[in-house]
Structure formats: structure tokens, C-alpha cells
Amino acid sequence: MSSYRLEKGGQIDRTVPLNFTFDGRAMRGFRGDTLASALLANGRQLVGRSFKYHRPRGVLTAGAAEPNALMTIGSGGRTEPNSRAPMQELYDGLEARSQNRWPSLDHDIGAINGLLSPFLSAGFYYKTFMWPAKFWEKLYEPVIRKAAGLGRATHEADPDAYEKCWAHCDLLVVGGGAAGLAAALTAGRTGTRVILADENATPGGFLLSETATLGGQTAAAYVANILAELGSLDNVTLMPRTTVFGWYDGQVFGAVERVQKHVASPDANQPIERLWRIAARKAVLATGSEERPLVFGGNDVPGVMMAGAMRTYLNRHAVAPGRKTAIFTTNDSGYALASDLEKAGIEVAAIIDSRRDAGFDFAGNAHVIRGGFVSNVLGRSKVEGIEIWREGQSERIAVDNLAMSGGFSPVIHLACHRGGKPRWSNEHAAFLVPDGLKDLHVAGAAAGVWGINPAMRSGCEVSVAALAELGISASPCNIPEIEGAVASLSAQPLWCIPGIRAKAFVDFQNDVHLKDLGLAVQEGYGHVELAKRYTTNGMATDQGKLSNVNAIGLLAEARRISPADVGTTTFRPFYTPVSFGALAGAAVGKHFQPVRKSPLHDWAARRGATFVEAGLWYRSSWFPLPGETHWRQSVDREVRTVRQNVGLCDVSTLGKIEICGADAAEFLNRVYCNGFLKLPVGKARYGLMLREDGFIYDDGTTSRIDENRYVMTTTTAYAAGVMNHLEFCAQAVWPELDVRLASVTDQWAQMAIAGPKARTVLQQLVDEDISNEAFPYLAAREVSLLGGRLRGRLFRISFSGELAYELAVPADCGESVADAIMLAGKVHGICAYGVEALSVLRIEKGHVTHNEINGTVVPADLGMEKMVSPTKPDFIGKHMVHREGLVDPDRLQLVGVVPIDPAHSFRTGAHILQKDAAATLENDEGYVSSSCFSPHVGSTIGLALVKRGASRHGEEVQIWNGLRNEFAMGRLVSPVFVDPRSEKLHV
Amino acid sequence: MASRIPCPHCGLRPKEEFTVKGAALQRPEAEAGAQAWHDYVYLRDNPRGAYEEYWHHTSGCRRWLVVARNTVTHEVASCRDAAEVKAVTA
């Protein structure tokens, strides 16, 4: 295929070729490739443009920290920007596109930013675009945002499904490298519940990139055997392709499993990703280490790669980095790479070891330069050579690629997620996990233990220790004989490199280079948290995985202090980016929230109702008849029909709570501000519920069905809140009261039958006498219906001001009872009415809802001060309701309002001003809380909360809506527009 | 916020099942006086460390609980039924 793929070797399956495209160009890889390895095998070194300077960039790593090879994968709704090519498994048909370039990756106009770089230094936004201020929003920011950037998200809907799950285990092992495998095997063999999570398709970590043998087997074969054993254990769950991204309190770990991100056509019956919360009694952190780049000129030129990554591509994917390699290292790992390269037939021109007295005795052909540095890379879009600095002398050699290794930083992110600060170790030249970790044990390279054998031993020991804390005794798994491994990784930190001429990058993803950090220190932003924000170092989506420690080292050297004193910035979840899809899980579209439908929903739908969302409920808002083209026509007709004949309205959504127990009456007496002790059996009473601060919380009727059995109704919106509140009162405030509560909202279909002919219609269904004498206003009783076929609850209560009843029947009988009422009412001109007409009827009658009871209102504001019992020793709200500010005569009080000219109208929210006052907020005297067109009055009417409103009936006012520039002259009137003496209720 | 709450009735359950009300203050006696009522209704400590709150197991047993947790570490020291707490305090 291409000249970069080696003839043999690697863990790829050459019998399964996979076709894919990059920027539309057809390429081919094999099963076992990642997108990055396949691109490299195809000779594609330039894979992206950098964030700010649009510099050509190549694959830098072979793992999760990749800052350069970010691409957009997929098309249509499956477009995923900023995917890290080394983490993306290759599949047949994969479409990848490079980002942040125009018109093409090879010819990118934005690269001119590189020439402008003197003006784009750290803090350049703040310095350059200060003036004129108004240019920022319109010109500077859009232009900067367009030029600097990552991939673009699609606007199409994501066609795939996601889900969220919980998992529980005794021991969670994070990371399946040498240490993690040993820990999992040690624990797994005890029979305890173990989860091994690894972010790659195959656990094994760097073992899969090794040429060392374990017990005479290749490392890959050894890993396969261990995985086979773990897989055979019922108590062990292997979770490949799963990134544990956060450690939270309560020993909960967050993880995302990429279930189908590696397949060509996802199975619609499986999620594409799964978000896990793993509750683990103990955990082992075996996340390995991150190799650090070195900061020299041109260290970002395509062809410069991390030494470990080069080894992975060489050994695991059989990809050659080029023809002629140089290796710049501060530690022994570079020699392992050199040896592997030479075995694969690739010339290693030089190993440049920054240590003057490196003890490693290299047996290969490569020329070893001790005490040397690579100070610059020659070439712009590919490596053409390097400049080596040694003892003040500069020497150039021609190579076409360069490996670098600046030492290793343990991957300790998770260990710091709960607030612990990492601590610097001079011995390791790295930050280690915080002290005093509880329930999280650290093993292998994550603990600064280098080498296969020590890492495995560490994994065993840590696993044994973690299990011991659970009272489980385990014996360490056996560790095989290891041959051919580079034993020691002893490193000396190397921050500042001499002889740099070109840009030397610290943060590749955010294009922060050495001089930016110097500038930060020079300008007084040398503190690590300030330097981070001033330069944006570590603020890209890789969160500084490669750059943070180097930045700290460079800041330390510039300030002549130890990295320990520079400190680190805070590690926060997520370890790597998590898709919004996974976080949302199944809660999208129709599943975003539940839909609540009344038992009469289908009945209303059959009658052509228009529905309106009210919280989770769908309520019927009006019932258009043929020929009605405007909602007002329907609503006005429904209102008139109720006032003249009779109507039926679904009120099932009102909250219904049954309250039982010997102390139920006493309980009600304490939760309502008005008295309930003397409510007789068979009667309903309107109740006002206050908050402890004296303001009204909710209202509704409560009926005494039996000696110790009440049924309370609440408003639709506050049904759940009132239930929680009552439970709080019953359990936490007065647990000594014998009272039981049950929400029965969903158990009953409830309908209001209102209008002068309501009794005539209803009597046809109700077996008992419901005449005014037998069933007077506020009667509330269980009744027999339809010749004893059914029992229901009948309440003579009225929201509309008409003769009215509410009938509750078991939910599953709701539709047939409603049909029966409509049939019985047909000759009396009955109609179904919705919440829109319900609202008009109640405004006409001056009844309040949460439009008025809006959290700012006390009973006196509504003229209900007499409902506040002066005699009860205690009730919720009693002790605050009479505070000075709540009895102020200047408070806003309920009042009605009408336009002086009936042709004028106004809206809810409009403000009330005195007749001659200027329309300013200073002159504001209150506002319209509810309004509608009243067929009864023949104009718009409103309820309003107005200063001293109750004593201002008859006063002319202005009704002003400054937002909509609407204005009407009005008059304050009684809030009761219909039947002010309530005679209709008692007929 | 703690990730999991050890409900005395339901066991260790995820926090999403619960609703937090706030400080677990005992309601004053009716005669306690304006100052005591003002404190109860309006004044709250905001401690760094140990804190007792009312949590409602809304999507579980529907019992009100008194959760003692650490506002720094989120560790839950205890979780008792509010009725039992009241009985002990009263």
C-alpha cells in the first residue's frame, strides 16, 4: 500500500483492509488501525492546522492527550468535530476531515497569522482590541472567532441513542495496562466484584507497544491471556472503550463507554455511547503516565512525535515514522525506541540525550550524543533536519522525523478531582497524587513506578491492600519473567533548552509558545493560575495534558523557584471531553420530560380540543366547533354557554390529596390559616395555605368525606409542592400527629359541571337527590351513579360563580361518565369548555389563581384577612403574617379594572398609573395580574394588584404597557364582575 | 452535594431521588417571640464543614430526612428520619 507501512509485524489484521477518506481522499488501513495510525501509514503527516497561527501540525501522540490531530468525523447528524485521531478506531467507510483551515489543509490562508505572530502574543486580545470599544462585538470578536478555532458542530439532529447506567463493584480498576491488569487479576481471583475500565479498544496499555517478552510470550499474547482469564470470571466486568472521567464524592466514578463509535453502521437497538456512574467501594488508579514533550524551536513541525507514540505506531501498527529518525530524550526510553527502529530497518541518525552522564549503554548503530539538545527543527510543513546544540556548538543533521521524550508525568487527574493538590517529587521529576487519598489506591506509572515488572508488582500490592480494607484477603498474581525491557526510566527534568530560534511550543492545542510564558512572567502574571489565563496555556480541550507540567517547569525556572512552589492549576472533571449526547442520555425529545395526560384527555381529543402544555400536563384549552376560525370565538361561546345553560370542564389535573388519621382535622387546622376543626362530615371548605413567612402558598377546597378522612384539592401547578409541604409538616414538624397522606391525583377523573342547568343535567346520573335542600352549596359526599353502577364523589363548589358541581369518578370511568353527562345535557345545550373559558369565568367572578397568589401576596391583599384565624394557637404562617410591612395600608390590593371605552383593551402585565401621572416607573401604582375579554361585561376586564386598590373602586386610572407601547384609560372596580352577592351559588 | 444518600429506609440511593430543603432547623414554639421566628424563617448559617439539612426522599420512600453532611468533603456523617430526630429533640 504505502511505503510507511512495514511489511510485517504489528497487531493489525492485514487480511481485513478498511477503506476511509481524509478530506475526501480515499485511503486504506487495516483492522487494528486507529485513524491516526492509518493516516501515518498512508504517508499523511500534515493532519491539521493549529488554533491560532494555523501552523501545519501532525500526529503528536498515540493517545488521549493528542492536541494536534483533531478532526471532524462522520457526516450529517453524525458529524463529530474535534475527535482525536489516535483514539478513533478505524472502520470501513470512515469519513474524516481536517479542521481550522481554508480553503484546504495544504493551502491555508489563515497561516498568515504566523507572520502576524508578533501581534498575537499572550494577552493580545486585551492589548490590541481595546479601542474603539464598540468594534469588539461587531468586528474583532467575530473575526477572531472565525480565524481561531476547532471543528464546527452540526445543526442536524443526532440520529443515535444514548443511555445512562449505574454499576456497582467492590474494586474498580481504572486503566488496563501492566499495573491495572495485575490489580484486576489479583482481585478477580478472589471472587470479589471487579470492574476493569480502559479507554482503549483493547486493554493492555503500553504493553501492546512493547517488544519485551513476558514469560516467553510477546507482550500482546500475554495481555490476551490475562484478558481471557478475566473474561472467564463471572465476578469481573471488562469495560473496554470506557474512559473514567471523574472521581466524585461517595466513591462514585463517572465514565463514558463508546459503545458503537468504532462501527460503520451503528445498531439502532444499542446506544452509541453509555454514561456510567460506577459506585466502587475501593478503586485502583492505574492510569499510567503521559510522556512530556520537549520545548525546542519547531517542536510542532509535522514529523516530530512523542517517542512513546512513535514506538506504538511502529510496534503496534507497523507504521514507520520515516526513513531517517533522530531521537531527543532526557531518559532511557529513547533507547528502547532506537532499538526497535533499527530492528525494523529504519535508520536512526542520532540519539541526542540531554544527560551528560547517561549510563545507558546503547548497543545499536545510532550515534549517541550525550549532553546535547535539539534546539531547532528545520522545515515548515515537514521535518527536513534538526539543529543540535552541544557545548556551545551547533550542528545540523538531515532527518525526516524526530522523536522526543521529556520524561513522564503520572496521570493523576482523577486522584485530584476531589480537591487534593498534587505534590512535586524531585526524585520522579513529576507531580504525584495528593497525600491522604481515601479509598483510591494508585499503582504503576500513575504512582511513579516505572517499568513493566515494578508496575505489575505495584498493581498486585495495591490490589491486595485495597481488598484488605474490605476484609478480603488476596494473594498477588504471579509476575512473569520479563525479557528485553528497558529497565530504568531515570529522568532529569529539562525545561529550558539552549539555542532556540524558532517558535517553541508549550501548549500545542492553544498555540502557546515559550515566549508567551516569558511575557507572562515579565508582565507580572507569573503565578500559575494567572499565567494560565494570560497565555491560555492548558485551557484547550486537552486541558494541558502535555503542556501543564512543562509550563510549570518553565515558570519555575523563570522565577528561580522549584516546581513545587509554582504549584499546579486545579484538575477538574472531565478527564477528556464527554459528548453532550452522553450527558443528556435518553432525556431528549419526547423523553426530555414525562407527559401527563388527564383521564379525560382522549375524551377531550375526541371532541376536537386544542391542548395547552401546563407544566407536564396537557390540558384542553378550548373546543372549536365547525365554522369557528379564531380561538376567541370558541372561548366566548363556551363562556356564554356556561352562563346561560351548562358546560363540562375537565379539572382532573387539580392536585388531590387524601388526608386520614385521628388527627387529620388538627393537621388541616395547622396547615391552613383558616379554621378546619369544625368542618362537618359531608362539607367542603375553601382553604388558604400560607408559607411560614406569611405569604400565600396555595389555595383549594378540602372536604370531609368521613370522620377521619379528608380530600384536599390543590392548584394544578402546586400539586407536587403541596404534597411535599404536607409531608414535611406531618413528618418533620408535627410527627406526633396521627395523620397519613396519599396523593390521589391520578386516581380520579374530575369534571366541573357548571351553569344554571347543571343540576338538571347531573340529576339524571346521580341516584341520590341533589336538590338545593338535599345537597346545598358546599356539600361534599360520596354518591351513587347510573343506578348504582358506580360510586363517585360529588362536591358542590364553584369556580365560575354559577350553580356548579365537581364530580370525581375512578379514573378509568372518566370518559364514559363524561360522555353520559354530555348525552344527558344535549337537550339543555351543554358544551365542553376548556381552561381558557375556565379562566374567563373565574376572572369574571373575581376568583384568584397563581396569577394573583404569586408569592408577594398575603390574605389581606386579596380582601381575605378574615380568613386568617385570630384564635388558633398555631398554624403555618401565623407568626409572620401580621408583620409591619404586611399590614401596610399602601400595599398592593386586589381590584378589578375595566377600560373606560369598551373598545379599548389591555394585557396582563400592564401597569396602573394615576389618571394624570406621567408614564414613569416612579409613578407605578400596581399591575394587571389577569385579563381577558369578558362576554358578560362586553369588554376586556382585568384583575389587578394596585396600591390601596380595595378603597379605590370607581377611580379613573391609566393602564400602561411600556414594553409594548400600549395605553388605555381605565377604571378601578370591584373584582367581582358577575353575581357580586353570590346568589347563584345558593339556588 | 453528596452523590449518594444513605436513606435509613431505602439504603444508599443516588442524590437525584432527593430534594433538599435546607437547614434542619426545629420550628420554634408558637410563643417563641418575634426574634426567634425571624431567625427561624430568615437566618441561615453557611458553615464550611458540618451541616445538617432536611432532605426529602421525593422519588423514594417520601420520608423527610435529616442529613448531616460536610460541605467541604460532601461526606455524609448520618442520615436519620426527621420524625425520629424531632422525637429525640422534643
Side-chain angles (χ1 to χ4, degrees), chain A residues 2 138 169 206 259 390 590 698 710 832 914 983:
Chain A
S2 89
K138 294 232 165 68
C169 63
F206 203 74
V259 183
R390 186 167 181 270
K590 284 249 172 204
D698 199 42
Y710 294 78
Q914 285 185 23
E983 285 160 347

Side-chain angles (χ1 to χ4, degrees), chain A residues 11-155:
Chain A
Q11 295 145 45
I12 49 169
D13 185 347
R14 287 179 170 79
T15 66
V16 184
L18 302 171
N19 295 305
F20 71 103
T21 63
F22 178 67
D23 282 343
R25 281 176 45 195
M27 296 186 180
R28 181 178 270 200
F30 295 116
R31 179 189 285 169
D33 262 326
T34 64
L35 176 55
S37 70
L39 284 167
L40 290 168
N42 281 272
R44 189 75 220 192
Q45 286 196 315
L46 168 58
V47 296
R49 289 276 173 174
S50 73
F51 185 72
K52 194 157 97 176
Y53 303 121
H54 290 240
R55 285 171 68 100
R57 290 282 168 83
V59 175
L60 186 66
T61 73
E66 178 60 38
N68 291 344
L70 306 178
M71 13 203 99
T72 300
I73 293 176
S75 56
R78 291 200 168 101
T79 302
E80 183 148 330
N82 312 329
S83 299
R84 291 155 298 158
M87 297 303 288
Q88 176 62 51
E89 290 171 62
L90 196 66
Y91 57 79
D92 201 49
L94 185 149
E95 296 171 43
R97 274 159 290 142
S98 58
Q99 302 181 160
N100 204 30
R101 81 290 188 266
W102 186 84
S104 78
L105 183 55
D106 294 317
H107 307 281
D108 173 34
I109 298 283
I112 197 165
N113 282 4
L115 302 176
L116 297 175
S117 67
F119 307 105
L120 298 177
S121 60
F124 81 98
Y125 300 113
Y126 317 117
K127 292 170 182 164
T128 314
F129 301 108
M130 295 282 288
W131 184 90
K134 66 179 175 186
F135 274 31
W136 175 254
E137 208 171 296
K138 294 232 165 68
L139 179 65
Y140 297 147
E141 190 184 348
V143 169
I144 292 168
R145 286 212 184 278
K146 195 165 189 308
L150 296 161
R152 284 177 185 278
T154 175
H155 287 275

Side-chain angles (χ1 to χ4, degrees), chain A residues 373-445:
Chain A
F373 307 91
V374 173
S375 45
N376 294 288
V377 166
L378 310 171
R380 275 194 59 81
S381 55
K382 61 177 198 238
V383 175
E384 287 161 9
I386 54 173
E387 203 171 74
I388 300 168
W389 179 283
R390 186 167 181 270
E391 294 181 344
Q393 302 288 318
S394 182
E395 175 197 352
R396 290 185 174 197
I397 59 169
V399 291
D400 62 6
N401 68 92
L402 172 69
M404 60 176 165
S405 177
F408 294 82
S409 301
V411 176
I412 56 172
H413 299 62
L414 288 178
C416 303
H417 278 174
R418 289 172 65 184
K421 284 281 177 198
R423 60 199 158 84
W424 175 256
S425 160
N426 272 327
E427 181 200 338
H428 295 86
F431 283 96
L432 300 181
V433 295
D435 287 323
L437 289 177
K438 235 180 98 189
D439 302 324
L440 182 69
H441 298 256
V442 191

Side-chain angles (χ1 to χ4, degrees), chain A residues 586-861:
Chain A
V588 291
K590 284 249 172 204
H591 296 289
F592 178 67
Q593 59 182 15
V595 169
R596 294 186 79 182
K597 287 183 179 172
S598 145
L600 295 176
H601 185 92
D602 292 347
W603 171 84
R606 273 195 279 121
R607 296 189 159 267
T610 301
F611 290 94
V612 61
E613 280 184 59
L616 302 179
W617 289 104
Y618 280 69
R619 298 186 70 179
S620 38
S621 46
W622 61 84
F623 293 80
L625 288 184
E628 291 175 348
T629 53
H630 191 277
W631 66 273
R632 268 282 307 284
Q633 292 176 293
S634 311
V635 172
D636 289 359
R637 170 186 50 78
E638 290 170 15
V639 170
R640 284 198 188 95
T641 306
V642 171
R643 296 260 180 249
Q644 286 161 16
N645 297 322
V646 56
L648 189 159
C649 183
D650 178 13
V651 293
S652 306
T653 61
L654 292 180
K656 297 180 272 298
I657 300 170
E658 288 216 11
I659 301 163
C660 307
D663 296 321
E666 175 63 25
F667 179 75
L668 286 167
N669 209 42
R670 295 187 193 181
V671 296
Y672 279 127
C673 73
N674 49 323
F676 266 83
L677 282 182
K678 292 176 188 157
L679 180 68
V681 173
K683 276 285 189 186
R685 180 170 290 174
Y686 177 72
L688 264 188
M689 203 176 277
L690 305 189
R691 309 189 312 210
E692 202 71 274
D693 62 5
F695 293 92
I696 302 175
Y697 179 50
D698 199 42
D699 68 346
T701 56
T702 291
S703 307
R704 193 169 198 171
I705 299 295
D706 212 335
E707 181 61 24
N708 290 325
R709 188 181 199 85
Y710 294 78
V711 59
M712 173 187 283
T713 63
T714 74
T715 58
T716 299
Y718 279 52
V722 168
M723 184 68 191
N724 295 347
H725 172 64
L726 295 186
E727 285 174 328
F728 179 76
C729 293
Q731 297 169 21
V733 182
W734 302 301
E736 65 278 9
L737 295 184
D738 175 16
V739 57
R740 293 286 179 276
L741 305 160
S743 166
V744 294
T745 305
D746 293 308
Q747 276 69 26
W748 296 94
Q750 192 151 324
M751 47 214 110
I753 300 98
K757 297 175 183 168
R759 181 183 299 127
T760 314
V761 172
L762 206 53
Q763 186 67 78
Q764 298 176 57
L765 277 81
V766 179
D767 300 334
E768 290 93 344
D769 178 13
I770 55 167
S771 66
N772 192 40
E773 295 69 35
F775 205 85
Y777 181 56
L778 292 178
R781 282 205 296 271
E782 207 173 280
V783 291
S784 167
L785 298 165
L786 299 162
R789 275 184 283 177
L790 190 66
R791 294 194 72 75
R793 287 172 177 175
L794 188 65
F795 310 88
R796 190 165 161 195
I797 52 180
S798 175
F799 200 39
S800 57
E802 297 298 322
L803 167 66
Y805 301 83
E806 285 189 16
L807 176 65
V809 296
D812 56 347
C813 304
E815 281 198 58
S816 39
V817 171
D819 281 339
I821 295 172
M822 293 303 286
L823 191 64
K826 198 166 182 185
V827 294
H828 303 286
I830 196 170
C831 79
Y833 67 102
V835 286
E836 215 39 71
L838 181 87
S839 178
V840 173
L841 291 162
R842 72 95 190 163
I843 295 172
E844 287 183 337
K845 181 62 183 172
H847 279 151
V848 295
T849 64
H850 281 290
N851 278 32
E852 286 73 36
I853 311 173
N854 59 13
T856 69
V857 165
V858 294
D861 300 338

